[in-house]
Amino acid sequence: MLARFARRNFAAKICSSVSEAVEGIQSGASLAVGGFGNSGVPENLIKALADLNLNNLTLVSNNCAVDGYGLAQLLEKKQVRRVVASYVGENAFFEKEYISGQLELEITPQGTLAEKLRAGGAGIPAFYTPAGYGTVIGNGGFPIKYKPGGSGVEVASEPRETREFNGKNYILEKSITTDYALVKAWKGDKLGNLVYRGSAMNFNPLCAMAGKLTIAEVEELVEPGEIAPSEIHTPAVYVHRIIKGPTYLKPIERRTLNTGAEIQVPGKGEAKVLRERIIRRAAQELKNGMFVNLGIGMPTLVPNFLPQGIKIYLQSENGILGMGPYPRPGEEDADFINAGKETVTLIKGASLFHSSDSFAMIRGGHIHLSILGALQVSKDGDLANWIVPGKMVKGMGGAMDLVSSPTRCIVTMEHKTKEGPKLLNKCTLPLTGKQVVSMLITELGVFDFKREGGITLVEVANGVTVDHIKANTECSFIVASDLKEMKTN
């Protein structure tokens, strides 16, 4: 034990260049890398790593930023063998490489990924979580690697061990440690203590814990004692090398602004009108004082249609509780984004935290309500909303964690597509969760999944008949004896 301490300096090594900071990293290494979208990305260290022309790297990160930035640079130079992530998102190159069999992808629910890193750094080898039970994550069979050209599956995921606690099913997830960690902080001192700014904290503290050798880049490097002890987020014990980044691009992925103009619902003509109907109806489910998590797409717009006098506290799984409206032009900040990578502000009383704490709130049942979008919903309340195998791989992000938690889950979706109904007897796409939907809101009506007897139509939109809904729904459903007109204001 004494020999181990002798090998570790009690202060981080201060590097004079980014090339010195990444010195010694070799092909085949595994790296935990902080960031969420483009926020909190250790961009200088990644660029220096890309310049080393390594190969067969394994990356553990929530996602790989966007084309041409951050970890995408390593992907585009074909330096990566496997990515462990929760979200592919809008990185077209990432998605293409995976589907064509050029890249391995170990897709992992966002909360599980955060806890894998935290637990790994804390010396906990594995843990049980409800996220992913009954899905391809728990059951196994997710295509980690396609054959060249995408012609079949070459490597598939293994099923997880399962166990029941207090009547609820869980799967066993192994923790993660990596050879190296690359993290980005706002401020650090010369011992290696780190402070993060805004939602740029996200996965950075967790990656710092999980790396056997952690390298931090900071915007400002100060003397020990200049940071108050109570302000330190990552203690120096986790940091082995530190450097002041020479420059920062910090691009904003989705610059969303409050221009004072009327809120615009996406779409045109009737499609836009029907989407607004769904959003307005969902807003009626929000009660004063609720802590609420909103998925991307239509759910994001729900707060714009709150009933008068209702105040809620919006939680974003990348580390915010108390999100405010979009910033005014000129006030947008790359360090303050939501889970949809949009620029946001904070309300009075807001708090900031890392991604593991965010999912502790969710998993522990401290968030009252979540509203998500969907590709499909079944009559049993199964939800599919994250992948179309072989065609579209966006990733589940935090959805599996949300729907497996005690949080009430409301789904908003359009009732059908050109191909047919989306409310089905059985989901044909990989599930996000089994029997997790409490309420479904479409442009045609509202369905309650928790009533005795099963799926029940409880509200119908103005001008829509029950027969019309039946004709556009694959599964059968009960019609409530107290059927009401759908309320939108």
Side-chain angles (χ1 to χ4, degrees):
M1 180 65 75
L2 289 176
R4 178 184 173 190
F5 280 118
R7 293 195 301 269
R8 169 69 163 104
N9 292 327
F10 285 95
K13 177 184 178 182
I14 303 169
C15 299
S16 59
S17 66
V18 285
S19 58
E20 180 187 355
V22 299
E23 184 178 349
I25 301 178
Q26 298 179 348
S27 294
S30 60
L31 300 101
V33 185
F36 185 94
N38 292 344
S39 179
V41 173
E43 57 182 88
N44 292 289
L45 293 174
I46 293 171
K47 176 64 168 60
L49 188 64
D51 290 342
L52 292 179
N53 294 316
L54 305 178
N55 55 56
N56 291 321
L57 298 174
T58 295
L59 303 179
V60 182
S61 191
N62 181 66
N63 60 296
C64 289
V66 296
D67 295 347
Y69 178 73
L71 291 176
Q73 297 169 88
L74 300 178
L75 296 179
E76 290 161 10
K77 292 184 70 173
K78 309 281 187 174
Q79 294 176 283
V80 181
R81 178 181 66 86
R82 175 176 289 202
V83 177
V84 183
S86 81
Y87 197 63
V88 175
E90 286 63 53
N91 191 319
F93 187 85
F94 186 176
E95 185 176 48
K96 178 183 176 183
E97 287 291 285
Y98 166 64
I99 291 175
S100 64
Q102 304 300 308
L103 179 69
E104 297 179 9
L105 171 62
E106 190 175 331
I107 200 78
T108 306
Q110 191 178 137
T112 299
L113 181 60
E115 195 63 16
K116 277 174 172 275
L117 292 164
R118 190 206 67 81
I124 299 170
F127 56 90
Y128 284 98
T129 177
Y133 178 83
T135 75
V136 69
I137 300 302
N139 297 339
F142 177 81
I144 290 175
K145 186 178 188 300
Y146 285 105
K147 294 178 181 178
S151 58
V153 177
E154 184 174 307
V155 180
S157 64
E158 296 292 327
R160 306 292 201 268
E161 178 185 324
T162 63
R163 187 169 174 183
E164 182 181 308
F165 295 92
N166 301 319
K168 187 175 178 66
N169 294 304
Y170 295 77
I171 63 175
L172 184 68
E173 291 282 7
K174 295 179 180 179
S175 303
I176 292 176
T177 56
T178 56
D179 299 322
Y180 299 89
L182 306 182
V183 302
K184 190 266 176 182
W186 169 50
K187 185 183 294 187
D189 69 22
K190 292 180 180 179
L191 289 176
N193 295 304
L194 304 178
V195 178
Y196 308 96
R197 181 173 181 271
S199 60
M201 186 186 306
N202 53 65
F203 274 77
N204 278 294
L206 313 172
C207 292
M209 293 177 66
K212 295 175 185 175
L213 194 156
T214 294
I215 310 166
E217 65 171 83
V218 297
E219 294 183 44
E220 185 178 349
L221 186 61
V222 301
E223 295 295 330
E226 290 190 41
I227 304 173
S230 59
E231 294 176 353
I232 292 169
H233 296 128
T234 294
V237 69
Y238 294 112
V239 179
H240 305 84
R241 301 176 187 172
I242 190 167
I243 184 170
K244 183 181 185 298
T247 59
Y248 285 99
L249 296 176
K250 298 174 68 171
I252 294 172
E253 189 168 338
R254 294 180 179 171
R255 194 179 303 271
T256 44
L257 302 173
N258 177 11
T259 63
E262 183 179 351
I263 296 299
Q264 294 296 312
V265 175
K268 297 180 180 180
E270 185 181 14
K272 179 178 178 179
V273 171
L274 296 179
R275 286 178 188 142
E276 184 169 326
R277 178 189 294 172
I278 296 170
I279 296 165
R280 285 183 176 276
R281 175 59 187 87
Q284 302 300 311
E285 293 299 310
L286 303 181
K287 310 303 179 187
N288 198 45
M290 273 187 169
F291 294 103
V292 180
N293 183 289
L294 301 176
I296 61 176
M298 285 192 287
T300 305
L301 297 173
V302 168
N304 298 292
F305 299 96
L306 286 176
Q308 189 173 2
I310 298 297
K311 182 178 181 180
I312 61 172
Y313 300 88
L314 293 175
Q315 194 250 21
S316 186
E317 57 258 36
N318 59 314
I320 302 175
L321 184 64
M323 282 190 297
Y326 295 142
R328 293 185 177 90
E331 296 179 356
E332 63 271 26
D333 190 323
D335 289 338
F336 291 86
I337 64 164
N338 63 15
K341 288 79 175 183
E342 299 173 324
T343 47
V344 295
T345 61
L346 306 182
I347 64 171
K348 290 182 179 179
S351 55
L352 299 164
F353 34 86
H354 58 63
S355 295
S356 184
D357 276 349
S358 179
F359 283 96
M361 297 174 190
I362 292 167
R363 201 181 300 111
H366 306 289
I367 303 300
H368 299 118
L369 179 68
S370 64
I371 305 178
L372 297 88
L375 297 171
Q376 295 176 341
V377 172
S378 82
K379 62 181 177 62
D380 297 317
D382 300 341
L383 170 65
N385 76 344
W386 67 279
I387 185 173
V388 179
K391 295 182 179 180
M392 183 197 78
V393 189
K394 294 301 181 187
M396 74 286 289
M400 283 189 180
D401 304 273
L402 281 162
V403 301
S404 65
S405 75
T407 300
R408 183 176 177 232
C409 173
I410 295 177
V411 170
T412 57
M413 76 174 187
E414 291 165 276
H415 205 91
K416 60 180 292 188
T417 66
K418 294 178 180 178
E419 288 73 36
K422 296 171 67 175
L423 181 50
L424 310 171
N425 285 307
K426 184 177 181 179
C427 293
T428 59
L429 297 174
L431 296 183
T432 308
K434 288 181 66 67
Q435 299 180 6
V436 295
V437 180
S438 296
M439 174 180 283
L440 169 65
I441 302 171
T442 79
E443 74 276 16
L444 300 184
V446 179
F447 295 84
D448 189 334
F449 288 81
K450 300 302 181 182
R451 285 203 180 192
E452 186 176 346
I455 178 174
T456 304
L457 178 66
V458 294
E459 295 179 24
V460 61
N462 182 37
V464 175
T465 66
V466 172
D467 286 341
H468 179 74
I469 297 176
K470 288 180 177 179
N472 288 277
T473 306
E474 182 183 271
C475 63
S476 59
F477 53 84
I478 299 168
V479 179
S481 58
D482 58 345
L483 182 67
K484 298 180 175 63
E485 183 176 309
M486 187 171 170
K487 52 185 179 181
T488 56
N489 53 50

